[in-house]
Structure formats: structure tokens, C-alpha cells
Amino acid sequence: MIKLHDLYFKPFISEEEVDATVQRLVDEIANDLQDEIPVFVGILNGSFMFVSDFVKKYPKPCEVTFIKLASYEGLKSTEDIHRLIGLTQDLSGRKVVILEDIIDSGNTLKEVHRIFENENVDELKIATLFYKPEAYKKDFKLHYVGIEIPNKFIVGYGLDYNGLGRDLPAIYQLKTTQHMTNLVLFGPPGAGKGTQANFLKEKYNLVHISTGDVFRFNIKNKTALGMLAKSFMDKGELVPDQVTIDLLNAEVEKNTGANGFIFDGFPRTNAQAEALDHLMDSKDSQINAMIALEVDDEVLVGRLLERGKTSGRKDDADESIIRNRITEYYKKTAILKDYYAAQDKYFGVDGVGSIEDITERLNKVIDKL
Ligand code: AMP
């Protein structure tokens, strides 16, 4: 994900796909023009990268020139096309191919046809790398089309948002949902995730979802889900993935419009981590960081036995169940450190000390994200 001025954009079309599309257009056009020496006319500014790659790939002699038109203001394509640089050479009798980076409303194309009205060229053809059929309002024929895209604002590979983004080698699409900060709070049982999540949600205005709390709520209310989860929880085992993933999805859906989430106790397996990535993706978002509270096992056992005196939690009352929960963590959950570390999203934080000190350590990590 990238930010240009005030807006966020997500990856849309890769560099490789753009390159293959340019090559296909080159092949089609070279095949049609055979031994004619064409004049390729790029429409500045957006087409500079396309034209450059196109003529480098073009297998036969050709000429290149540019005209400069301006139509976009911010995100809007305006009717009002300014001709900043017109044609600077005589093209009568020549085969001309216009190279456009993108055709949406067709307003620029109308101006191009006006420019060529009295030029007496032998042939005028239009090639465009990207085409938005839903936005196109004109009848001019498009002879060569690279990739049809939905009517969404894109940047990269020559295309800009208020001047930024032209230098990106791939194409990015405007994110229409608001930017969220999503944190996974990680660590073994008793590490202090719940306590810290309560501070973080206030400070960063995030929604805190603890799968353990949701299961306990269901158990208290004697729902079918609660009864199912109880059989696993009482032994300190993990509830099956699909049950937990469905529950997590439902909790996220209840909070559309959230500023972001703190996931506490989820994900606990690889399958859950992948499901979470998919869910975030469907929301045009992502996990920004996994922050792990690191605490020694013996400190954890001591903390949980202490909590068990008042929490009323069956799984906090018995040392062997506590140890089983810690074992489950190392067997099934600790591997997720690698999952997030591979994406440069893992941040370990010392979870021993006063609650305020640990909160301070967490704030430092989050403020740097
Ligand atoms: P916690 O409150 O996070 O310590 O979770 C208490 C218990 O709820 C765990 O020992 C599991 O039995 C169950 N549980 C909570 N979150 C998950 C999860 N993500 N996957 C599987 N089981 C979970």
C-alpha cells in the first residue's frame, strides 16, 4: 500500500503484466504496419513511460513525437482540455498511431481528433494501454487496447495523482475505504495482552477483539457456539480453526467503519493468519504489525495462578491446564512469529515490568508504524 498526498493506493497491476501488455501492443501494431515507418504520437504527460517502453520494444524503424494536453484536476477528468503543446511537425501522408496511457471519458481523444482534423495524415490509429469501458462516452474507434479496467482511479507507470505517482513502475488503485491501523497483539497466555489492549484501544481509537472473550461471552450465554468452544477451552486446547475464523469474521463485520482493530488471541494458527489476511484484503486493508509481549514461562504460570484466584476462569485455576495452554502456544502459535517476521511486521516487546512501562514500550512501536 502507498500514500500519495492524502490518499492511499493499493497494488493493482504488476510491473510484469504491464510489460507483457506493452509487448502485445507492439506485436499487434508492428504486424499491422509491416514496413511502413510510423509516427508514434504520445500524449503527455501520462504516456511518457508507455511510449518509452513501447518504442524500445518496437522491432522496426519508427518516429516519435509528443503533444501535451492537460485534463485531470485531482481525481476528476474534466471536459476542459488544455492544449499545452500541439503538433510541431508536418505529418501529412504519414501513418500515425496515437499512444495513450489511459482512455476514460474520451475527452482527450476528442481533442486529439480535433488536432488531426486538417493534418491530412494517411491513417490515424489509436492505441491505449488502459481503457475504462464504463467511463467511455465517445464513439471514436479504439484500434488497440491493452487492459480494460473498472472505473477506478489509478496511478503509476506515468499516471499521477496531483503530480505524484508517475515514477512507480506498477499500477496502483485508489483505496475507497478509509485507512485502518490493524494490530495483532501476540504472546503466550498471561503475557498481558488483554490489559494492554485496553490502553491501546483508547489511545489509538481501535476496536479490540479478543476471541477468548467472545468465546467466554458465548459460554456465559449458553449459545451453541459457547457449548462447543467450552469443551476445548476447559482443557486448555485450541477451538477448531473454522469455528474461530467464522467468529472473528462476524466480529469484524459488526464494526464496519472502525479506525482499525486490535486482534488479541487471534490468529493462533497459520490457517487463522491466512484467513485474517484475506479478511483484511477484502476490506482494502492489511495487518500493520504483530506486536509480541515476551514473558518467561514461569512468570506466566505465576501470573495466571494469581489471576485465577479472582477471574473465575476454569483454565486459570489449574496449573496443569495453564501449562497445557502455554504448550499449545509454543506448539501451534509461536510459529506465527515467522509468518509476520517474513513480512517485516513482527515487533517483540519485553512484557515484564510495570503495566505503564509496558504500555509505553508498545506505544513506541505503534507510533513508528
Ligand atoms: P485467551 O482468553 O486468549 O487466553 O483464550 C482462552 C481460550 O479460548 C484458549 O485457550 C482457546 O481454547 C480459546 N481460543 C481463543 N482464541 C482462540 C483462537 N484464535 N483459536 C483457537 N482457540 C482460541
Side-chain angles (χ1 to χ4, degrees):
M1 190 129 50
I2 54 162
K3 189 176 184 207
L4 301 175
H5 297 296
D6 55 329
L7 297 179
Y8 289 86
F9 294 82
K10 59 178 180 175
F12 180 41
I13 300 171
S14 71
E15 210 177 329
E16 292 73 26
E17 195 182 343
V18 171
D19 191 67
T21 306
V22 175
Q23 185 64 58
R24 178 170 59 73
L25 290 171
V26 165
D27 294 343
E28 284 175 23
I29 293 171
N31 190 44
D32 285 354
L33 292 177
Q34 294 294 328
D35 290 328
E36 288 279 348
I37 297 184
V39 184
F40 293 118
V41 180
I43 312 296
L44 291 174
N45 289 334
S47 75
F48 75 95
M49 230 187 244
F50 171 40
V51 174
S52 162
D53 284 348
F54 183 97
V55 295
K56 274 187 271 179
K57 291 179 192 296
Y58 199 73
K60 293 179 184 162
C62 62
E63 289 180 33
V64 193
T65 187
F66 290 92
I67 54 184
K68 180 164 166 129
L69 305 175
S71 71
Y72 260 91
E73 274 167 21
L75 299 177
K76 272 219 181 73
S77 167
T78 67
E79 282 275 349
D80 188 15
I81 308 289
H82 306 277
R83 193 185 305 180
L84 304 174
I85 303 174
L87 273 178
T88 50
Q89 70 195 87
D90 179 17
L91 294 179
S92 47
R94 303 296 303 272
K95 290 213 185 293
V96 173
V97 181
I98 302 293
L99 295 181
E100 255 290 38
D101 43 307
I102 185 163
I103 289 179
D104 52 16
S105 67
N107 290 334
T108 308
L109 204 52
K110 187 171 161 209
E111 183 62 18
V112 168
H113 279 88
R114 208 188 344 247
I115 290 173
F116 278 88
E117 230 164 33
N118 303 314
E119 284 299 316
N120 297 319
V121 297
D122 177 31
E123 189 173 77
L124 178 68
K125 284 192 164 174
I126 310 294
T128 184
L129 182 56
F130 301 112
Y131 170 50
K132 291 182 183 173
E134 291 159 40
Y136 192 55
K137 304 245 166 48
K138 303 279 189 282
D139 295 324
F140 306 113
K141 184 173 165 58
L142 308 180
H143 303 84
Y144 305 99
V145 172
I147 303 176
E148 288 193 5
I149 59 170
N151 194 8
K152 295 241 175 107
F153 189 77
I154 60 171
V155 293
Y157 199 72
L159 294 145
D160 74 312
Y161 165 49
N162 278 349
L164 291 182
R166 293 193 197 280
D167 53 325
L168 300 164
I171 299 294
Y172 292 76
Q173 190 182 66
L174 179 67
K175 254 170 52 66
T176 41
T177 48
Q178 144 205 17
H179 178 67
M180 295 196 280
T181 301
N182 300 305
L183 308 172
V184 171
L185 206 51
F186 194 62
K193 301 187 293 286
T195 308
Q196 294 300 335
N198 279 328
F199 293 113
L200 298 179
K201 74 173 184 192
E202 295 298 330
K203 182 166 163 70
Y204 297 99
N205 189 20
L206 303 173
V207 173
H208 172 208
I209 300 180
S210 153
T211 38
D213 283 353
V214 182
F215 282 135
R216 281 184 287 276
F217 179 82
N218 276 274
I219 292 172
K220 203 164 135 211
N221 289 290
K222 299 199 164 54
T223 67
L225 173 75
M227 293 308 102
L228 173 70
K230 189 175 185 328
S231 57
F232 296 94
M233 288 170 74
D234 281 353
K235 289 181 271 175
E237 290 170 6
L238 293 188
V239 177
D241 276 339
Q242 203 48 56
V243 176
T244 314
I245 290 167
D246 289 349
L247 168 120
L248 191 276
N249 285 354
E251 288 301 309
V252 168
E253 289 308 333
K254 277 186 203 162
N255 290 286
T256 48
N259 227 359
F261 293 91
I262 301 173
F263 297 104
D264 159 9
F266 189 98
R268 267 175 150 105
T269 63
N270 257 322
Q272 292 182 15
E274 281 164 18
L276 185 58
D277 276 351
H278 283 140
L279 180 65
M280 291 295 104
D281 208 34
S282 74
K283 305 253 161 277
D284 258 4
S285 195
Q286 61 176 344
I287 295 297
N288 302 85
M290 168 193 253
I291 309 182
L293 289 168
E294 293 163 347
V295 182
D296 272 355
D297 290 1
E298 293 315 307
V299 177
L300 296 172
V301 175
R303 279 188 189 175
L304 289 172
L305 282 172
E306 198 53 38
R307 183 171 82 182
K309 289 179 189 164
T310 53
S311 72
R313 280 177 60 168
K314 228 177 166 175
D315 58 351
D316 281 350
D318 180 309
E319 186 169 337
S320 71
I321 296 176
I322 289 175
R323 289 202 182 272
N324 193 35
R325 286 162 63 200
I326 297 174
T327 308
E328 281 277 273
Y329 172 78
Y330 285 109
K331 206 164 68 187
K332 297 190 179 148
T333 306
I335 45 160
L336 288 183
K337 177 177 175 178
D338 299 338
Y339 184 91
Y340 288 98
Q343 304 173 40
D344 279 337
K345 290 181 180 170
Y346 179 86
F347 301 88
V349 166
D350 180 4
V352 182
S354 73
I355 291 178
E356 298 76 31
D357 285 350
I358 299 168
T359 309
E360 195 45 43
R361 288 172 208 155
L362 292 170
N363 289 342
K364 265 198 194 139
V365 172
I366 298 168
D367 291 340
K368 273 201 214 129
L369 288 177

